[in-house]
Amino acid sequence: MERELCFCIEKKELYLEQVLVDYMEIPIFFLCKNSVQYYLALCIDIDELNYIVTKASISEIYNLLHGKIPMRDVILQQEGYWDVLSGEEVSMDTVTKHLIGELNKSFLPEEGACFEILTEKMEEFVKKFDNEHDKSQKEFYEDGSLSIDVSGLNFEIGKCFDLGICLLEQQFAPEINLYEYCIPYYEEQALLKNFNNMEKWSNDVLSSIAV
């Protein structure tokens, strides 16, 4: 099945992953994804096809899909968002970046409103999402490391990877932003404090790669 291109943001192509809420078959709240990163898109003007788009980590998407966090909260806990005004083609969209504090909260879903699984199709998507991501999250939470398969490459990443991850990108996969992909896991585990030890761990990270 051909993937539907939704947005092009900062030279990254975002494809439709799943419509979460629609209105008269128009996607209102939906998931997009590039090669590694999930994004949430919210239509704030159906007539003008104006959207706000934010990044979201795998665990945030998991909690959203399972009704463990209100829909608006997933957006508000991000650092920033993109305002996208659709053109005749994706390449003609007008895209501007803003801090999350600049967002008009009246555009967001109601406070406390959580996503609900209402159809069999949505239930199938959530089960598929869980199956795809449960293993990597379980491995990470148990031993503090993370195994990632991206574009045919397998990366075994240790607890501290900041400098090492940049070196990995340059040496093995310059087209893949592994730092952007991994950072949500480490933020959740409060391991960012270890990033000051970058040099100490960079060699370990580099030597742990398996292609």
Side-chain angles (χ1 to χ4, degrees):
M1 183 185 300
E2 186 176 350
R3 301 170 69 197
E4 180 181 347
L5 179 63
C6 296
F7 311 105
C8 186
I9 294 178
E10 296 183 352
K11 298 183 179 181
K12 298 181 178 69
E13 293 184 335
L14 278 53
Y15 290 88
L16 179 64
E17 187 78 2
Q18 180 65 39
V19 177
L20 303 179
V21 180
D22 63 41
Y23 175 73
M24 298 181 65
E25 299 186 354
I26 299 175
I28 299 298
F29 189 50
F30 52 99
L31 275 176
C32 296
K33 190 181 180 185
N34 63 5
S35 58
V36 294
Q37 174 70 52
Y38 281 97
Y39 294 78
L40 277 169
L42 175 68
C43 182
I44 59 175
D45 190 323
I46 294 178
D47 295 327
E48 298 293 330
L49 294 181
N50 190 187
Y51 302 88
I52 59 173
V53 181
T54 63
K55 291 182 180 180
S57 69
I58 291 173
S59 64
E60 287 170 336
I61 299 299
Y62 176 90
N63 289 331
L64 169 71
L65 294 175
H66 289 273
K68 295 183 177 182
I69 182 173
M71 291 181 284
R72 68 186 280 136
D73 290 6
V74 180
I75 296 173
L76 290 175
Q77 64 191 20
Q78 309 307 321
E79 291 184 1
Y81 71 97
W82 292 270
D83 184 300
V84 182
L85 182 61
S86 296
E88 293 184 8
E89 299 178 2
V90 171
S91 61
M92 300 174 67
D93 290 352
T94 301
V95 181
T96 55
K97 189 174 184 179
H98 305 271
L99 295 174
I100 203 67
E102 300 172 26
L103 178 60
N104 185 343
K105 295 182 181 179
S106 66
F107 291 139
L108 300 177
E110 294 181 2
E111 288 189 32
C114 292
F115 175 74
E116 296 182 25
I117 301 173
L118 300 176
T119 65
E120 289 185 8
K121 183 177 180 181
M122 184 61 66
E123 186 176 1
E124 290 175 3
F125 170 76
V126 173
K127 287 181 179 178
K128 179 183 177 183
F129 181 91
D130 291 350
N131 290 335
E132 288 178 352
H133 298 292
D134 275 352
K135 184 176 184 296
S136 62
Q137 290 196 48
K138 183 173 184 291
E139 289 177 353
F140 175 80
Y141 291 139
E142 285 181 355
D143 65 11
S145 63
L146 176 64
S147 176
I148 310 169
D149 289 289
V150 184
S151 299
L153 301 176
N154 176 258
F155 299 90
E156 298 289 340
I157 310 300
K159 287 186 179 181
C160 301
F161 68 93
D162 192 281
L163 179 58
I165 214 71
C166 296
L167 293 173
L168 283 173
E169 288 181 21
Q170 295 169 12
Q171 187 168 351
F172 296 101
E175 77 283 0
I176 301 171
N177 191 338
L178 283 173
Y179 183 91
E180 178 180 286
Y181 183 72
C182 298
I183 198 73
Y185 290 98
Y186 290 86
E187 287 175 337
E188 289 155 15
Q189 294 301 302
L191 292 170
L192 290 177
K193 61 186 178 182
N194 294 322
F195 285 5
N196 292 330
N197 240 349
M198 293 185 297
E199 258 186 78
K200 176 182 176 183
W201 290 90
S202 61
N203 289 334
D204 292 338
V205 175
L206 283 170
S207 63
S208 66
I209 184 172
V211 179

